[in-house]
Amino acid sequence: MILTITMNPSVDISYPLNKLAINDINRVSEVKKTAGGKGLNVTRGIKYSGIPVLASGIIGGTTGEYIQKQLDKDNINYDFYITQHESRNCIAILHEGNQTEILESGPVLDNYDVNVFLEHYQNLLSQAQVITISGSLPQGFPVGFYTQLIEKANKYQIPVLLDSSGKMLLETLVSKNKPFLIKPNKDELQHIIQMDIDPNDVASLVKAVNHPLLNDIAFIIISLGKNGAFARCHHNYYQVSIPKINVVNPVGSGDVTLAGLAVSIYENEPIEVMLKRAMTMGMLNAMESQTGFVDMRNYNEYYQQVRVTQIN
Ligand code: ATP
């Protein structure tokens, strides 16, 4: 199966309002609460693709129980390390065409939790063929924590797909324990390599994926929103273009794109198929209002419209 890691999951609450009244009472009737966190979006994307998946990470308290109930409802298997600390809530207020977010940073954990989770993770490795790691770390975890997860997976030759950013991503790039695949978006990669990237200029994209920091990463997929993606897989470059779609809510598109990549690697598909699958998943998510949801009935229609061009 594919093991997905979400270290700081949340209950995502959305409050739709006609108008946000500041310093006043706002009453809301249509509250939506879902199990959130980037890794749980990845998990759902894999589940929709019909591939066995197990969600892991750290949860706790009544919020943690709620996350488990939501995953039960979706028939998703999970095996979390459960702490005494309450998992977080993330609130999105949708008003006047805007989205105002209030994001709890989540529990503050310590070295004890780091060690117990590492043991928990080690015990799951024997079941995993592919691992995805997404999002940020809980407070109290060392910034290089993902390199420890990657090191353990690499010992068993389990490919790790990492979707993280900033220092957490950088730590893995400078470590000798490299992920098999990274999927930064343009801004995340620009930040890491300290270089401007022009998504419409192939030379600029080639230069970016050849940055010395990325030398030993087998697969680099830069997701480019409506511009599709650019990839370096081993020593080959691929430009991926996608059709114009009716975008409803693109949040979480990168997560289900990672789900598509994981499914393809699990299924041993050719690179062109992998890139088309990943882009199709991202587009299907962008066409839905619910974050991390895809309607697989539209899969073939959009898959046919993705173009992958290998660049020499
Ligand atoms: P997030 O952080 O919200 O999960 P991301 O920034 O990591 O997203 P994007 O590059 O925005 O990832 O999107 C991933 C993929 O989803 C794109 O490569 C594309 O296939 C699809 N996608 C996202 N936004 C759009 C859009 N506006 N139009 C068409 N496709 C889109």
Side-chain angles (χ1 to χ4, degrees):
M1 51 83 177
I2 301 176
L3 175 65
T4 62
I5 303 293
T6 317
M7 293 305 296
N8 203 6
S10 56
V11 171
D12 289 351
I13 305 171
S14 87
Y15 291 147
L17 293 174
N18 285 332
K19 192 173 179 328
L20 175 65
I22 304 290
N23 205 19
D24 205 345
I25 292 168
N26 292 276
R27 293 187 196 281
V28 46
S29 50
E30 278 174 50
V31 180
K32 251 198 218 156
K33 293 187 186 177
T34 52
K38 291 172 72 62
L40 295 185
N41 295 335
V42 177
T43 311
R44 276 189 287 266
I46 297 168
K47 175 82 183 170
Y48 297 138
S49 307
I51 299 297
V53 60
L54 181 75
S56 188
I58 300 185
I59 55 171
T62 50
T63 332
E65 281 167 20
Y66 189 83
I67 291 171
Q68 291 181 78
K69 265 194 213 147
Q70 291 293 305
L71 295 175
D72 284 336
K73 253 197 204 163
D74 290 342
N75 258 322
I76 287 174
N77 295 327
Y78 52 82
D79 191 345
F80 290 99
Y81 160 48
I82 313 236
T83 63
Q84 304 298 315
H85 306 269
E86 193 73 27
S87 292
R88 62 192 179 135
N89 289 303
C90 290
I91 298 170
I93 305 166
L94 313 172
H95 58 102
E96 301 133 320
N98 299 309
Q99 180 160 333
T100 301
E101 297 191 15
I102 299 167
L103 309 180
E104 293 179 18
S105 38
V108 181
L109 304 178
D110 59 24
N111 229 10
Y112 172 81
D113 299 296
V114 169
N115 290 326
V116 180
F117 181 76
L118 282 173
E119 222 169 275
H120 182 84
Y121 170 80
Q122 175 77 46
N123 291 333
L124 298 175
L125 287 181
S126 62
Q127 306 167 54
Q129 272 90 53
V130 176
I131 296 173
T132 69
I133 301 177
S134 310
S136 58
L137 289 166
Q139 299 178 84
F141 267 53
V143 70
F145 181 72
Y146 287 151
T147 62
Q148 297 183 54
L149 298 188
I150 294 166
E151 181 180 13
K152 285 181 183 294
N154 286 355
K155 274 197 186 130
Y156 295 90
Q157 288 163 351
I158 308 168
V160 174
L161 284 58
L162 176 67
D163 183 6
S164 193
S165 56
K167 281 192 182 145
M168 290 166 294
L169 172 58
L170 187 59
E171 283 283 327
T172 68
L173 300 178
V174 296
S175 145
K176 61 180 191 315
N177 306 303
K178 311 278 186 199
F180 174 73
L181 177 153
I182 58 170
K183 191 225 67 67
N185 64 25
K186 182 177 76 85
D187 293 344
E188 289 162 349
L189 188 59
Q190 282 185 158
H191 180 70
I192 288 288
I193 62 176
Q194 297 284 303
M195 197 180 109
D196 281 342
I197 302 171
D198 178 353
N200 298 308
D201 176 16
V202 172
S204 159
L205 291 159
V206 169
K207 194 170 170 206
V209 292
N210 280 326
H211 189 280
L213 268 175
L214 310 178
N215 270 352
D216 298 322
I217 310 290
F219 283 28
I220 301 152
I221 319 295
I222 315 175
S223 66
L224 300 168
K226 67 177 171 28
N227 292 314
F230 187 82
R232 172 165 74 65
C233 301
H234 300 298
H235 298 293
N236 297 320
Y237 307 101
Y238 302 86
Q239 189 157 32
V240 194
S241 52
I242 57 176
K244 210 172 163 34
I245 56 166
N246 182 21
V247 176
V248 178
N249 172 17
V251 179
S253 294
D255 303 333
V256 295
T257 295
L258 194 77
L261 295 168
V263 166
S264 251
I265 288 165
Y266 178 87
E267 295 279 60
N268 241 320
E269 291 176 343
I271 286 167
E272 282 83 355
V273 176
M274 174 186 82
L275 294 171
K276 286 173 91 169
R277 182 189 278 282
M279 289 298 96
T280 307
M281 293 296 280
M283 285 188 288
L284 292 181
N285 176 77
M287 289 189 288
E288 298 290 332
S289 60
Q290 197 184 325
T291 298
F293 177 78
V294 291
D295 186 343
M296 293 301 278
R297 287 173 303 184
N298 299 325
Y299 183 87
N300 284 339
E301 182 188 341
Y302 288 91
Y303 181 91
Q304 306 298 338
Q305 298 179 59
V306 181
R307 296 280 168 266
V308 177
T309 313
Q310 189 174 343
I311 297 176
N312 296 312

